[in-house]
Amino acid sequence: PVPPRQKAIGSVEVRTHLPGNVYAVLCAAGDRVNKGDTLIIVEAMKMESPIYAPENGVVQSVDVAKGQTVNSGQVLVVLA
């Protein structure tokens, strides 16, 4: 299981729904994003799965890097 982490009030943690490798990071801290924008692409079983912004916001932090292995439920990006 992914350990809980402190989050700022009003922030949104964007998590992956499947384990795999980070194929691409398409955002950076400070970027303004809209609901539905692709933030991260996770590759699992030779399939690329985009991770979308659940709502409009500003990227507070990107907690993964390209090539990194991620577990299901892991925080990828925090939006404010």
Side-chain angles (χ1 to χ4, degrees):
V2 177
R5 68 183 280 231
Q6 294 288 1
K7 70 175 195 169
I9 294 173
S11 65
V12 175
E13 293 178 337
V14 181
R15 298 173 180 265
T16 181
H17 53 281
L18 71 162
N21 293 312
V22 176
Y23 180 77
V25 177
L26 305 175
C27 62
D31 288 355
R32 181 167 294 284
V33 297
N34 295 312
K35 181 177 181 176
D37 286 353
T38 303
L39 305 175
I40 304 280
I41 298 175
V42 174
E43 181 183 42
M45 298 181 295
K46 298 185 181 181
M47 290 181 57
E48 296 172 12
S49 297
I51 306 298
Y52 301 107
E55 59 185 56
N56 297 342
V58 176
V59 177
Q60 190 174 17
S61 67
V62 177
D63 298 342
V64 294
K66 183 176 179 177
Q68 180 178 337
T69 299
V70 293
N71 296 312
S72 183
Q74 184 171 337
V75 174
L76 305 176
V77 176
V78 178
L79 301 179

